Amino acid sequence: MFTVFLYLAALGGLCYSYTKDHQKTKKSLLIAKKAFLNIFPEFSAILILIAIVLTLTPPSLIQALVGGQSGATGMLITAIFGSVTLMPGFIAFPLAKSLLDVGAGVQQIVVFISTLMMVGFITAPLEIRYFGKRYTLLRNSLAFLYSFLAAVIVGRLIL
Amino acid sequence: MNSIKRYRLTFLFLFVAFGLGFWNPEFGRSMATMTGKNFRDMLGVLPPIFILLGLLEVWVPREMIIRHLGEKSGTRGIALSILLGAAAAGPLYVAFPVAVVMLKKGARFANIVIFLFSWSTLKIPLLLFEATALGWRFTIARAAVNLPAIILMGFLVDRLIPNEEKEELRQRQLAAEAAQAM
């Protein structure tokens, strides 16, 4: 259903764009192709890796560490994991989905996704170079704390 | 050659998976099913997402939007900052140089922070991808909570950083630009 909608949106967008400007439409398709080919190697590797790791890890271990009953400790684990790792969404979401499938808690996964996107431990030096220490520390710690809040609210909303 | 090199990890993991599969057929079956399903799910939905991403990239004029983000831009400035971030593609560190351009062109500091947060959490291609993997309810709930939060955090960071420091940052970036031009 959702996939059908996506295909329709992409097709509609392309047609509309083509009537407006052939060149730009061509360029957009080139960008799309390049972006896709760019992620595909890592993407395929990570999908296999997820399958290996999840097959070898007993679901009970994942449930104990970051399951729905793991509470604040589980959230802290996923928060740290999300803050220090650097992975693009196309890797993070399938991973999050697989973790949920084997029994990880929704709140723990929301913390993971939020910190992953908003808190950048590895990119902090770069951010400092652009915007200074005070700003970087502020933005990242606010985002870290907020991730827990977001998890609690999102958990309430969808559970 | 270069492109095959990039698949090193893929081959390595495949190799490991096959080894494990021979050692324990039960594992092999589980891994094959999981990998197959993940690939089907993702490859089915990636093409339109990437096409939309390309269209956004081509049709959203960044420079033009940035000019409308100054001190007095108000609600419109906030909305544009969010839009600018949401229509983007690429990881957060690609957003930093764009944010620097905003800083140099005199954008309000809160707008810059809002833009960076929007880039990291409200990117449209990312949301589509999230919805594919985790479902609409999950994605909409997260976005609905994030939207007010990033605006609040933008203003909070803006408040907590002294004006002199912001001006100094701006001057430094302008000086860097001038140095590059010479």
Side-chain angles (χ1 to χ4, degrees):
Chain A
M1 181 56 216
F2 171 60
T3 316
V4 174
F5 163 76
L6 269 182
Y7 274 94
L8 287 177
L11 198 69
L14 271 183
C15 291
Y16 183 72
S17 170
Y18 194 74
T19 59
K20 288 265 174 189
D21 189 331
H22 297 2
Q23 282 309 315
K24 275 194 172 178
T25 311
K26 246 186 215 157
K27 200 175 150 210
S28 83
L29 281 176
L30 277 178
I31 292 175
K33 186 181 143 207
K34 221 182 114 201
F36 182 73
L37 290 179
N38 229 337
I39 68 156
F40 197 71
E42 286 81 11
F43 184 69
S44 54
I46 217 75
L47 287 189
I48 301 168
L49 182 65
I50 289 177
I52 296 175
V53 171
L54 289 186
T55 298
L56 296 181
T57 319
S60 57
L61 179 68
I62 291 171
Q63 280 158 23
L65 279 178
V66 296
Q69 307 302 315
S70 65
T73 322
M75 281 159 76
L76 195 62
I77 293 176
T78 52
I80 292 172
F81 187 57
S83 302
V84 300
T85 48
L86 196 64
M87 72 176 91
F90 66 85
I91 289 174
F93 293 129
L95 175 64
K97 167 81 166 58
S98 308
L99 285 172
L100 281 174
D101 285 346
V102 293
V106 170
Q107 294 182 335
Q108 285 75 13
I109 291 301
V110 175
V111 174
F112 167 64
I113 294 177
S114 300
T115 48
L116 185 68
M117 290 176 171
M118 298 164 107
V119 184
F121 190 75
I122 297 178
T123 50
L126 192 68
E127 203 174 350
I128 290 175
R129 184 133 44 92
Y130 282 123
F131 302 107
K133 272 198 186 121
R134 195 200 301 253
Y135 158 84
T136 306
L137 194 67
L138 256 175
R139 194 194 70 76
N140 282 288
S141 38
L142 266 178
F144 188 83
L145 293 177
Y146 164 70
S147 299
F148 289 86
L149 182 69
V152 173
I153 302 175
V154 171
R156 282 274 162 78
L157 283 176
I158 65 171
L159 285 177
Chain B
M1 190 57 218
N2 220 349
S3 52
I4 291 179
K5 234 180 175 175
R6 293 193 58 201
Y7 284 95
R8 264 180 315 194
L9 272 179
T10 311
F11 289 124
L12 176 71
F13 292 149
L14 264 182
F15 185 73
V16 172
F18 272 107
L20 283 168
F22 274 114
W23 176 59
N24 183 337
E26 190 61 39
F27 282 179
R29 257 193 299 280
S30 153
M31 285 182 296
T33 325
M34 217 188 290
T35 311
K37 190 180 169 304
N38 278 343
F39 265 100
R40 262 203 314 281
D41 285 356
M42 294 303 148
L43 287 186
V45 83
L46 281 177
I49 292 181
F50 277 86
I51 288 174
L52 288 169
L53 187 148
L55 287 172
L56 282 175
E57 190 82 6
V58 173
W59 284 106
V60 180
R62 271 187 207 153
E63 282 281 318
M64 205 181 82
I65 293 180
I66 289 173
R67 266 185 268 136
H68 296 282
L69 300 175
E71 282 313 322
K72 294 192 178 62
S73 56
T75 322
R76 219 173 88 101
I78 298 172
L80 282 176
S81 304
I82 292 172
L83 186 77
L84 190 64
L92 188 60
Y93 53 82
V94 180
F96 294 150
V98 183
V100 167
V101 176
M102 293 170 77
L103 190 71
K104 284 194 273 199
K105 302 227 164 179
R108 192 183 187 185
F109 206 75
N111 284 343
I112 299 176
V113 182
I114 293 171
F115 159 76
L116 283 173
F117 273 131
S118 168
W119 181 300
S120 61
T121 65
L122 293 174
K123 253 181 303 181
I124 293 166
L126 203 70
L127 290 181
L128 296 176
F129 208 65
E130 181 175 354
T132 315
L134 299 165
W136 270 118
R137 269 167 65 88
F138 187 94
T139 308
I140 291 176
R142 240 174 48 79
V145 177
N146 279 337
L147 191 62
I150 65 174
I151 297 173
L152 273 176
M153 287 196 283
F155 281 97
L156 204 59
V157 173
D158 193 354
R159 270 291 171 81
L160 290 172
I161 292 185
N163 282 327
E164 307 86 66
E165 194 172 320
K166 290 176 214 157
E167 196 45 43
E168 202 192 298
L169 273 174
R170 187 166 304 181
Q171 292 308 331
R172 206 173 66 202
Q173 293 294 351
L174 283 172
E177 185 187 47
Q180 252 169 25
M182 285 208 287

